[in-house]
Amino acid sequence: PNNKTNRAASGQGSIGSADGRWEARLTLGYDEAPAAQNAKIYGASQKEVKRKLTEKLRQLDTNTYIADDKRTVAQYLDAWFTEFIEPTQKPYTVTTYRGIIKNHLKPHLGAVRLCDLTTEQVQKMVRQLVNDAIAENHKKILTVLNSALEQAVKTQTIQRNPAKYAKLPSVRVKDIHPLSPAEIVSFVAAAQDSTYYAPLMCCLFLGCEGEALGLAWEHIDFENSKAIICQQLQKDKSKNGKFYIQQGTKNGQSRILDVPDFLLEILQDERQRQMRAHLAAGPAWQNTWGLCFTDAIGQCINPHTLWANFKRIAASIGLPDARVHDLRHTSATLALINGDDVKTVQATWATLPPHLPCSAMSTPVKDEAGQCKQDAAIFYRQRKKRHKNTPGKRKPAGGKIMPKKQF
């Protein structure tokens, strides 16, 4: 007699079709009743269900089985954001992540069950983002998703991270164009009469961006010609969000910078101007953070206002495409030209101008860079003298500047 049977061995699961789908059932164990604890696996084809069943059996054999999480991706992202992002991240990061989850991840993947999410679905989302002209943000969006799913792997919510192997399309990085020595001189001359002359000079000669408007008087050491860059001015990205001071810099490290003598004079004049404004404003004065750069009643300066003025000044000297970020690289470039080693520049500015060789710069270029700083100092003193001789202008009572470092 034929003793062969088509029945699967005990514990190996069974496969059948129902309701137009293929289904596999797998016994995971028994409870105290005892009653069988079964897992159901569905797929569009018998081959797909077999593959899934084989994977589940492998997990059971290796003691790595994780029950399918029936939550949707949207539900998991909400839980992850509440538990792991809001309590631990900076306000700006929290607002950014909230917006990415709401505006991008949920619309594309929110309805998919977490246990069913595949790399192909993630890749499709990336392609749609690029087609929708969101190419400049797709890297950040994928980073948020990858971080959320990596946490799910660590907490044994899912076996593997389906976003890990999604591919980003290549995007051309914008070229960086530090100002040449001649352009620096032109920029300083054009900015002389700007209301935002002092913060723009700090951006140019200290390599600051958002940190410039967060610079406080307590961080300026006039006696030793030093400035401590340790905080930023930021604004809550939510509707009607307010400005706040974020401790720390973008890379999390404070920087101590040498301040040129003529920039110290600019800061001294700015402090005297602010003291006069404080007296004029009286009880309306609002500079509770002790910032170096404020408006007439002590309110912080909106970064967008400063950047708009920078763009206007840059356009007036023939640089309509210049960006504020270029000033940071300009400052790093000047440091390299003046002989600072590459590691120091990278540590101080967290950047290295890509167009410069690591070897020492030529003598003519060094001389030109040194001359541009001297010209900047001359322009400032001429501006100061002109304001001094203008009727109705009060002479700023500048304090004594300790000569330290000459250019």
Side-chain angles (χ1 to χ4, degrees):
N2 186 1
N3 294 324
K4 290 184 179 180
T5 177
N6 292 326
R7 294 184 60 185
S10 177
Q12 296 302 302
S14 61
I15 298 177
S17 60
D19 300 328
R21 296 185 300 172
W22 285 88
E23 174 188 319
R25 296 188 181 185
L26 178 63
T27 300
L28 303 176
Y30 296 87
D31 58 21
E32 296 177 356
Q37 295 178 326
N38 296 320
K40 294 183 179 181
I41 304 169
Y42 296 96
S45 66
Q46 185 181 32
K47 183 178 180 181
E48 180 184 353
V49 171
K50 281 185 176 180
R51 178 180 59 79
K52 291 181 178 180
L53 178 60
T54 301
E55 175 63 18
K56 295 294 184 185
L57 290 171
R58 184 193 67 78
Q59 293 171 8
L60 288 171
D61 289 340
T62 58
N63 201 29
T64 59
Y65 173 78
I66 297 176
D68 288 342
D69 193 310
K70 302 299 177 65
R71 290 178 295 176
T72 64
V73 172
Q75 291 171 332
Y76 171 73
L77 287 173
D78 287 338
W80 170 75
F81 181 81
T82 301
E83 295 296 328
F84 295 98
I85 300 303
E86 280 188 316
T88 62
Q89 299 299 319
K90 300 175 182 178
Y92 188 87
T93 303
V94 170
T95 306
T96 300
Y97 276 38
R98 182 186 290 115
I100 288 175
I101 291 171
K102 176 183 177 182
N103 299 323
H104 301 294
L105 295 180
K106 283 186 176 180
H108 286 94
L109 302 173
V112 180
R113 289 201 313 176
L114 183 62
C115 60
D116 295 333
L117 185 63
T118 64
T119 300
E120 289 77 11
Q121 291 171 314
V122 176
Q123 191 66 51
K124 182 180 179 181
M125 177 195 72
V126 173
R127 186 169 63 253
Q128 290 175 339
L129 291 173
V130 174
N131 293 338
D132 294 340
I134 314 179
E136 61 182 17
N137 289 327
H138 66 256
K139 183 176 181 180
K140 187 180 295 184
I141 294 169
L142 186 58
T143 297
V144 173
L145 178 62
N146 185 69
S147 178
L149 296 179
E150 199 61 38
Q151 187 63 51
V153 173
K154 292 177 180 178
T155 55
Q156 296 187 337
T157 303
I158 55 177
Q159 279 283 345
R160 56 180 60 86
N161 177 1
K164 185 175 182 179
Y165 299 104
K167 298 293 184 182
L168 290 168
S170 58
V171 177
R172 183 178 180 275
V173 179
K174 293 181 180 179
D175 293 333
I176 296 171
H177 298 287
L179 275 62
S180 68
E183 289 169 343
I184 294 174
V185 174
S186 298
F187 179 79
V188 172
Q192 285 185 83
D193 296 321
S194 171
T195 305
Y196 306 101
Y197 178 71
L200 285 173
M201 293 303 100
C202 283
C203 290
L204 177 57
F205 291 104
L206 295 183
C208 301
E209 291 181 60
E211 303 104 331
L213 296 180
L215 196 61
W217 292 118
E218 63 179 319
H219 302 137
I220 305 295
D221 184 350
F222 286 97
E223 183 176 350
N224 296 302
S225 304
K226 302 288 184 182
I228 303 175
I229 309 300
C230 60
Q231 63 184 28
Q232 306 172 67
L233 176 68
Q234 293 187 349
K235 186 179 182 180
D236 191 335
K237 295 174 68 176
S238 60
K239 187 177 181 180
N240 300 321
K242 297 182 179 181
F243 286 101
Y244 64 93
I245 292 295
Q246 177 62 57
Q247 296 298 325
T249 59
K250 189 173 182 179
N251 65 357
Q253 297 179 350
S254 299
R255 308 194 300 275
I256 299 178
L257 305 178
D258 291 323
V259 183
D261 288 347
F262 81 92
L263 188 54
L264 282 175
E265 293 183 46
I266 292 175
L267 290 171
Q268 281 280 24
D269 286 351
E270 184 68 17
R271 183 161 66 171
Q272 296 300 324
R273 181 206 63 79
Q274 193 179 92
M275 291 173 62
R276 294 194 296 272
H278 188 176
L279 290 174
W285 187 252
Q286 300 181 35
N287 189 12
T288 56
W289 295 319
L291 299 178
C292 296
F293 311 117
T294 62
D295 64 11
I297 59 172
Q299 292 181 325
C300 61
I301 296 174
N302 191 321
H304 292 293
T305 302
L306 182 64
W307 307 157
N309 275 267
F310 165 80
K311 293 291 288 185
R312 178 183 57 77
I313 295 169
S316 72
I317 62 172
L319 299 173
D321 297 326
R323 303 169 299 165
V324 175
H325 189 63
D326 295 335
L327 297 183
R328 185 183 188 89
H329 285 272
T330 300
S331 183
T333 300
L334 290 174
L336 284 174
I337 291 174
N338 285 332
D340 287 357
D341 62 271
V342 174
K343 289 186 177 180
T344 299
V345 172
Q346 287 177 320
T348 303
W349 283 274
T351 185
L352 180 63
H355 67 291
L356 285 179
C358 293
S359 58
M361 302 300 294
S362 65
T363 301
V365 175
K366 288 185 178 181
D367 292 342
E368 189 179 359
Q371 184 62 46
C372 86
K373 289 188 176 181
Q374 293 178 15
D375 290 342
I378 292 172
F379 277 128
Y380 164 69
R381 293 189 176 96
Q382 288 177 345
R383 173 181 184 267
K384 186 174 180 180
K385 184 176 180 180
R386 186 171 69 253
H387 283 210
K388 173 183 176 181
N389 296 331
T390 302
K393 294 286 185 179
R394 292 179 58 188
K395 177 182 178 181
K400 182 179 180 181
I401 305 298
M402 301 297 292
K404 282 289 177 182
K405 184 176 180 181
Q406 299 297 328
F407 291 107

